[in-house]
Amino acid sequence: MNFNFSNKLANLKPSAIREIFKNLTDPSVISFGGGNPSPESFPVDELKTLAAGIFENQSSTALQYSITEGYTPLRNILKARVKEKFGIGRDFDDTIIVSGGQQGIELACKTFCNEGDRVLCENPSFIGALNAFRSNGAIPVGVDCDNSGIIPEALEEKLRSTPNVKLLYTIPTFQNPMGITTPLNRRKKVYELCKKYGVVILEDNPYGELRFDGEDIPTIKSMDDEGIVIYCSSLSKILSAGMRIGYVTAPCEIISKMVVAKQSEDVHTNIFFQMLCYKYMTEYDIDAHIEKIRALYRRKCNLMLECLEKELPREITFTRPSGGLFIWCTLPRSLDSAAFVKGLVERKVAVVPGATFLADENEKSSSFRLNYSTPSDDDIVKGVKILGKYAKEYLANN
Amino acid sequence: MNFNFSNKLANLKPSAIREIFKNLTDPSVISFGGGNPSPESFPVDELKTLAAGIFENQSSTALQYSITEGYTPLRNILKARVKEKFGIGRDFDDTIIVSGGQQGIELACKTFCNEGDRVLCENPSFIGALNAFRSNGAIPVGVDCDNSGIIPEALEEKLRSTPNVKLLYTIPTFQNPMGITTPLNRRKKVYELCKKYGVVILEDNPYGELRFDGEDIPTIKSMDDEGIVIYCSSLSKILSAGMRIGYVTAPCEIISKMVVAKQSEDVHTNIFFQMLCYKYMTEYDIDAHIEKIRALYRRKCNLMLECLEKELPREITFTRPSGGLFIWCTLPRSLDSAAFVKGLVERKVAVVPGATFLADENEKSSSFRLNYSTPSDDDIVKGVKILGKYAKEYLANN
């Protein structure tokens, strides 16, 4: 039978990155392509102890169906945490548990977008979000960015000229893939513009706790007097990515729609691990744990930056993150990074070509993304050396 | 701000059942309304032992991001199991892990349906599936059933007269909510009709392993020479519902679309519990465990049937399931069960009104659903006594 797939799925391709990694079985390749947290960031022994306790004393709750909104004690402790750390949560807001930040993004799109509606986003942006929009039949529309994030004039132009814009999706802190952070004045402008044009903001903050340099900048959600911001985050980068636990804070009216949509997707998130996270957050010092992850990523990021400075030809520029997982490199003379990256993989170093992250899949990019959280220190040194040598040859010949 | 929600979510209500139970805090109410497996069906001690081993030896895999398709060893053991038990799986098929059977249903709809497309289903049908269709903008269309399931003539009439039918959703074994099982000749007719009209079948089989009486009837998927059947099932009813692990077997071409859609929803299913299920299925005797659950439900179902025979007025009819979790009762003279159920809750017995399960939310039903897996034996006896007394009074006055 010739299948007649839905329009939204017919042309949607799997994430290029996940496909690269599924097929990356050659152990001699040094990968800067991932986005995985370091395994050192998982508090294994503590989780093991707590899990045994749940099987012992709470198994009939932990293994049974539960409510869609999530485990109430975990929701409450997360509410308190984002309030304290990020000034998030007003009387009109509520917080629910989702199956990773990815589900929060997808549900927000499903809640607001009909097929054909537009979602504005940084260009480049997180591929998982772009595909979540596409998988709902919504069309991502990229807004030009500089090293301070979304350019307000470009945003206003898009808000004015694009039909059926329902959401602005933004990662203002340690953006994926660029590693940049939007300063406060820009955040305020983004908020005011969306308010003016009646567009809901979807603020994604998966890396917010991973600052290893400088001071926190207020989240856009912390400015949300009007109740127009959906805030998504997760425990993937600070406790475990594989457990798939994220959370969303948004006005109650939006949350109640997202709950209905979530009920139809997976009924609820794995309840055992929701209880495990709650126990970890009450019985151990999560802030001390996060401090260790920050120190680890600070060291790894600095090491990679030093190597890049030493090895890369001057014409290749790169961002200098204050947190998160990624560095964004840009080739000179608008060279297409796709060909560059392909040659680099042959030299056994994997990075992600910039075009992967563009709203318009047919556009080209001269940038590529590096990750420093997953590779070992040795591989960072060795891999950047290979990258530098190859880049010099490449620029000489292109 | 007045939110402009998507058309598909604007009018979608949360599952009436889940809402009833969220608010059912009165411990004196006897509930026959749930659909939860008995807590006795979770092999707690075994899972506890295996979980400790995973934290000990495989934590960096079990807590890290994983592939969307699911944990390969679990996929392989499930493939082997459905092949052996249900004759499922041809060369053109593949099997993936999903976050509960619910996600399999939702992804199938997203993969095939544009907004406005139709999904045929038994009338009544599983509310979670109906809402999954609605949440994707698809419209469920009920097909008339008798006590042997979908009536083939009614199905052909709908296939002929309904525009844009993309899927037939069916639960042929121990149907929810009716507790009935479609015999082999009907299954064959359903398959042939869908083949003739080019409509993909979504066969949902969450209760297939819970037969406590009679012989297994071949699944529709086992007849699938043409590759037009998507088969959904889960481990919720035999290992743990709260972990949210299900699986889908379908032609590779469909599976690869569902994988792309799943990647956008939750990246992958909780990998720790996928590994735990695999270990359970290899290190313990899952068939012996299932045998225990069957014996438990056989006893509970028989107890409830005996009580119904003794207590209910003759005019109320009910189904006699050979497995699964539900009994379907029908009032005489087309009495609307909504009012009946409301009065019954005041007598402290909760059941689910039949209209909840109808494709057309405005239709009325004279039936209601009873569950026997969750209540204690005492509550079954006591609750049916109250139901019987109330029903006699109700029928005398209406």
Tab-separated table of all heavy atoms in Angstrom, chain B residues 181-208:
chain	number	residue	atom	x	y	z
B	181	THR	N	-15.055	-9.148	22.905
B	181	THR	CA	-13.974	-9.595	22.023
B	181	THR	C	-14.556	-9.933	20.655
B	181	THR	O	-15.562	-10.630	20.549
B	181	THR	CB	-13.260	-10.806	22.640
B	181	THR	OG1	-12.587	-10.358	23.832
B	181	THR	CG2	-12.232	-11.401	21.695
B	182	THR	N	-13.904	-9.394	19.615
B	182	THR	CA	-14.364	-9.617	18.246
B	182	THR	C	-13.908	-10.992	17.770
B	182	THR	O	-12.714	-11.302	17.842
B	182	THR	CB	-13.779	-8.535	17.325
B	182	THR	OG1	-14.145	-7.255	17.849
B	182	THR	CG2	-14.284	-8.660	15.909
B	183	PRO	N	-14.844	-11.839	17.302
B	183	PRO	CA	-14.450	-13.177	16.850
B	183	PRO	C	-13.657	-13.127	15.530
B	183	PRO	O	-13.645	-12.116	14.835
B	183	PRO	CB	-15.784	-13.899	16.664
B	183	PRO	CG	-16.823	-12.836	16.569
B	183	PRO	CD	-16.284	-11.614	17.236
B	184	LEU	N	-13.024	-14.263	15.218
B	184	LEU	CA	-12.099	-14.317	14.088
B	184	LEU	C	-12.726	-13.904	12.764
B	184	LEU	O	-12.134	-13.128	12.008
B	184	LEU	CB	-11.511	-15.737	13.985
B	184	LEU	CG	-10.483	-15.944	12.878
B	184	LEU	CD1	-9.299	-14.998	13.027
B	184	LEU	CD2	-9.990	-17.396	12.857
B	185	ASN	N	-13.935	-14.410	12.472
B	185	ASN	CA	-14.516	-14.093	11.164
B	185	ASN	C	-14.761	-12.598	11.002
B	185	ASN	O	-14.532	-12.027	9.939
B	185	ASN	CB	-15.789	-14.923	10.909
B	185	ASN	CG	-16.880	-14.614	11.919
B	185	ASN	OD1	-16.590	-14.169	13.048
B	185	ASN	ND2	-18.133	-14.827	11.538
B	186	ARG	N	-15.162	-11.943	12.064
B	186	ARG	CA	-15.348	-10.480	12.032
B	186	ARG	C	-14.012	-9.770	11.800
B	186	ARG	O	-13.923	-8.790	11.076
B	186	ARG	CB	-15.911	-9.989	13.378
B	186	ARG	CG	-17.383	-10.182	13.552
B	186	ARG	CD	-18.143	-8.923	13.118
B	186	ARG	NE	-19.560	-9.142	13.270
B	186	ARG	CZ	-20.322	-8.585	14.228
B	186	ARG	NH1	-19.779	-7.749	15.101
B	186	ARG	NH2	-21.608	-8.843	14.291
B	187	ARG	N	-12.967	-10.246	12.499
B	187	ARG	CA	-11.643	-9.631	12.342
B	187	ARG	C	-11.204	-9.703	10.889
B	187	ARG	O	-10.676	-8.744	10.329
B	187	ARG	CB	-10.608	-10.332	13.234
B	187	ARG	CG	-10.884	-10.131	14.711
B	187	ARG	CD	-9.853	-10.820	15.594
B	187	ARG	NE	-10.292	-10.718	16.977
B	187	ARG	CZ	-9.516	-10.506	18.038
B	187	ARG	NH1	-8.212	-10.434	17.884
B	187	ARG	NH2	-10.008	-10.392	19.241
B	188	LYS	N	-11.434	-10.883	10.286
B	188	LYS	CA	-11.054	-11.057	8.878
B	188	LYS	C	-11.813	-10.076	7.992
B	188	LYS	O	-11.257	-9.469	7.079
B	188	LYS	CB	-11.344	-12.498	8.418
B	188	LYS	CG	-10.317	-13.491	8.935
B	188	LYS	CD	-10.617	-14.898	8.404
B	188	LYS	CE	-9.565	-15.887	8.906
B	188	LYS	NZ	-10.036	-17.285	8.790
B	189	LYS	N	-13.107	-9.911	8.271
B	189	LYS	CA	-13.922	-8.989	7.461
B	189	LYS	C	-13.447	-7.551	7.629
B	189	LYS	O	-13.388	-6.789	6.654
B	189	LYS	CB	-15.405	-9.108	7.850
B	189	LYS	CG	-16.065	-10.303	7.208
B	189	LYS	CD	-17.563	-10.347	7.487
B	189	LYS	CE	-18.124	-11.696	7.022
B	189	LYS	NZ	-19.383	-12.030	7.704
B	190	VAL	N	-13.140	-7.171	8.862
B	190	VAL	CA	-12.639	-5.816	9.121
B	190	VAL	C	-11.358	-5.586	8.326
B	190	VAL	O	-11.182	-4.549	7.669
B	190	VAL	CB	-12.390	-5.615	10.640
B	190	VAL	CG1	-11.553	-4.367	10.902
B	190	VAL	CG2	-13.725	-5.531	11.389
B	191	TYR	N	-10.459	-6.565	8.363
B	191	TYR	CA	-9.197	-6.443	7.637
B	191	TYR	C	-9.441	-6.285	6.135
B	191	TYR	O	-8.891	-5.390	5.488
B	191	TYR	CB	-8.310	-7.666	7.911
B	191	TYR	CG	-6.955	-7.574	7.256
B	191	TYR	CD1	-5.939	-6.820	7.836
B	191	TYR	CD2	-6.687	-8.207	6.036
B	191	TYR	CE1	-4.696	-6.702	7.232
B	191	TYR	CE2	-5.453	-8.098	5.425
B	191	TYR	CZ	-4.459	-7.345	6.020
B	191	TYR	OH	-3.234	-7.231	5.409
B	192	GLU	N	-10.292	-7.143	5.593
B	192	GLU	CA	-10.550	-7.110	4.147
B	192	GLU	C	-11.190	-5.788	3.719
B	192	GLU	O	-10.849	-5.229	2.676
B	192	GLU	CB	-11.443	-8.296	3.732
B	192	GLU	CG	-10.754	-9.652	3.807
B	192	GLU	CD	-9.459	-9.733	2.981
B	192	GLU	OE1	-9.421	-9.136	1.880
B	192	GLU	OE2	-8.491	-10.361	3.451
B	193	LEU	N	-12.107	-5.291	4.544
B	193	LEU	CA	-12.782	-4.032	4.201
B	193	LEU	C	-11.792	-2.866	4.196
B	193	LEU	O	-11.816	-2.025	3.301
B	193	LEU	CB	-13.922	-3.755	5.185
B	193	LEU	CG	-15.192	-4.567	4.927
B	193	LEU	CD1	-16.168	-4.428	6.101
B	193	LEU	CD2	-15.861	-4.133	3.610
B	194	CYS	N	-10.918	-2.822	5.205
B	194	CYS	CA	-9.941	-1.721	5.270
B	194	CYS	C	-8.966	-1.807	4.100
B	194	CYS	O	-8.582	-0.794	3.510
B	194	CYS	CB	-9.215	-1.719	6.605
B	194	CYS	SG	-10.313	-1.148	7.932
B	195	LYS	N	-8.582	-3.020	3.758
B	195	LYS	CA	-7.707	-3.227	2.598
B	195	LYS	C	-8.405	-2.703	1.334
B	195	LYS	O	-7.827	-1.934	0.570
B	195	LYS	CB	-7.400	-4.723	2.463
B	195	LYS	CG	-6.321	-5.053	1.465
B	195	LYS	CD	-5.928	-6.528	1.552
B	195	LYS	CE	-6.688	-7.368	0.542
B	195	LYS	NZ	-6.292	-8.795	0.588
B	196	LYS	N	-9.667	-3.085	1.184
B	196	LYS	CA	-10.426	-2.684	-0.006
B	196	LYS	C	-10.510	-1.169	-0.129
B	196	LYS	O	-10.381	-0.616	-1.225
B	196	LYS	CB	-11.832	-3.292	0.103
B	196	LYS	CG	-12.795	-2.917	-1.021
B	196	LYS	CD	-14.110	-3.689	-0.873
B	196	LYS	CE	-15.213	-3.068	-1.730
B	196	LYS	NZ	-16.523	-3.656	-1.423
B	197	TYR	N	-10.697	-0.475	1.005
B	197	TYR	CA	-10.883	0.980	0.950
B	197	TYR	C	-9.577	1.757	1.207
B	197	TYR	O	-9.598	2.974	1.321
B	197	TYR	CB	-11.971	1.411	1.934
B	197	TYR	CG	-13.360	1.050	1.442
B	197	TYR	CD1	-13.923	-0.195	1.727
B	197	TYR	CD2	-14.091	1.942	0.648
B	197	TYR	CE1	-15.186	-0.543	1.261
B	197	TYR	CE2	-15.349	1.601	0.170
B	197	TYR	CZ	-15.887	0.362	0.482
B	197	TYR	OH	-17.135	0.030	0.001
B	198	GLY	N	-8.453	1.033	1.314
B	198	GLY	CA	-7.157	1.706	1.486
B	198	GLY	C	-7.019	2.474	2.796
B	198	GLY	O	-6.415	3.545	2.842
B	199	VAL	N	-7.595	1.907	3.860
B	199	VAL	CA	-7.525	2.580	5.166
B	199	VAL	C	-6.627	1.772	6.101
B	199	VAL	O	-6.764	0.544	6.208
B	199	VAL	CB	-8.948	2.730	5.752
B	199	VAL	CG1	-8.903	3.078	7.239
B	199	VAL	CG2	-9.720	3.790	4.972
B	200	VAL	N	-5.702	2.448	6.761
B	200	VAL	CA	-4.787	1.798	7.684
B	200	VAL	C	-5.530	1.444	8.983
B	200	VAL	O	-6.344	2.233	9.472
B	200	VAL	CB	-3.583	2.727	7.987
B	200	VAL	CG1	-2.717	2.180	9.119
B	200	VAL	CG2	-2.742	2.928	6.718
B	201	ILE	N	-5.257	0.254	9.526
B	201	ILE	CA	-5.874	-0.189	10.779
B	201	ILE	C	-4.918	0.069	11.946
B	201	ILE	O	-3.740	-0.276	11.866
B	201	ILE	CB	-6.203	-1.702	10.721
B	201	ILE	CG1	-7.232	-1.988	9.613
B	201	ILE	CG2	-6.720	-2.209	12.078
B	201	ILE	CD1	-7.444	-3.474	9.332
B	202	LEU	N	-5.437	0.695	12.983
B	202	LEU	CA	-4.677	0.882	14.214
B	202	LEU	C	-5.260	-0.082	15.238
B	202	LEU	O	-6.342	0.154	15.789
B	202	LEU	CB	-4.806	2.342	14.666
B	202	LEU	CG	-4.177	2.752	16.000
B	202	LEU	CD1	-2.709	2.379	16.067
B	202	LEU	CD2	-4.347	4.268	16.202
B	203	GLU	N	-4.578	-1.214	15.448
B	203	GLU	CA	-5.070	-2.250	16.367
B	203	GLU	C	-4.436	-2.045	17.744
B	203	GLU	O	-3.226	-2.154	17.898
B	203	GLU	CB	-4.719	-3.656	15.847
B	203	GLU	CG	-5.230	-4.758	16.788
B	203	GLU	CD	-4.918	-6.170	16.288
B	203	GLU	OE1	-3.971	-6.334	15.492
B	203	GLU	OE2	-5.633	-7.110	16.705
B	204	ASP	N	-5.274	-1.756	18.712
B	204	ASP	CA	-4.799	-1.482	20.068
B	204	ASP	C	-5.055	-2.726	20.902
B	204	ASP	O	-6.188	-3.217	20.962
B	204	ASP	CB	-5.585	-0.274	20.613
B	204	ASP	CG	-5.011	0.254	21.912
B	204	ASP	OD1	-3.895	-0.134	22.282
B	204	ASP	OD2	-5.692	1.082	22.554
B	205	ASN	N	-4.014	-3.231	21.538
B	205	ASN	CA	-4.163	-4.489	22.278
B	205	ASN	C	-3.522	-4.426	23.670
B	205	ASN	O	-2.658	-5.213	24.014
B	205	ASN	CB	-3.555	-5.638	21.462
B	205	ASN	CG	-3.949	-7.003	22.006
B	205	ASN	OD1	-4.963	-7.123	22.710
B	205	ASN	ND2	-3.167	-8.022	21.708
B	206	PRO	N	-3.982	-3.489	24.501
B	206	PRO	CA	-3.349	-3.348	25.816
B	206	PRO	C	-3.686	-4.483	26.780
B	206	PRO	O	-2.963	-4.693	27.759
B	206	PRO	CB	-3.919	-2.020	26.335
B	206	PRO	CG	-5.201	-1.819	25.595
B	206	PRO	CD	-5.016	-2.478	24.260
B	207	TYR	N	-4.789	-5.193	26.504
B	207	TYR	CA	-5.254	-6.209	27.458
B	207	TYR	C	-5.050	-7.635	26.958
B	207	TYR	O	-5.486	-8.590	27.603
B	207	TYR	CB	-6.756	-6.007	27.751
B	207	TYR	CG	-7.152	-4.569	27.943
B	207	TYR	CD1	-7.909	-3.894	26.986
B	207	TYR	CD2	-6.744	-3.869	29.078
B	207	TYR	CE1	-8.264	-2.558	27.156
B	207	TYR	CE2	-7.091	-2.540	29.248
B	207	TYR	CZ	-7.850	-1.887	28.285
B	207	TYR	OH	-8.191	-0.573	28.452
B	208	GLY	N	-4.422	-7.773	25.793
B	208	GLY	CA	-4.322	-9.078	25.125
B	208	GLY	C	-3.738	-10.180	25.984
B	208	GLY	O	-4.095	-11.355	25.824
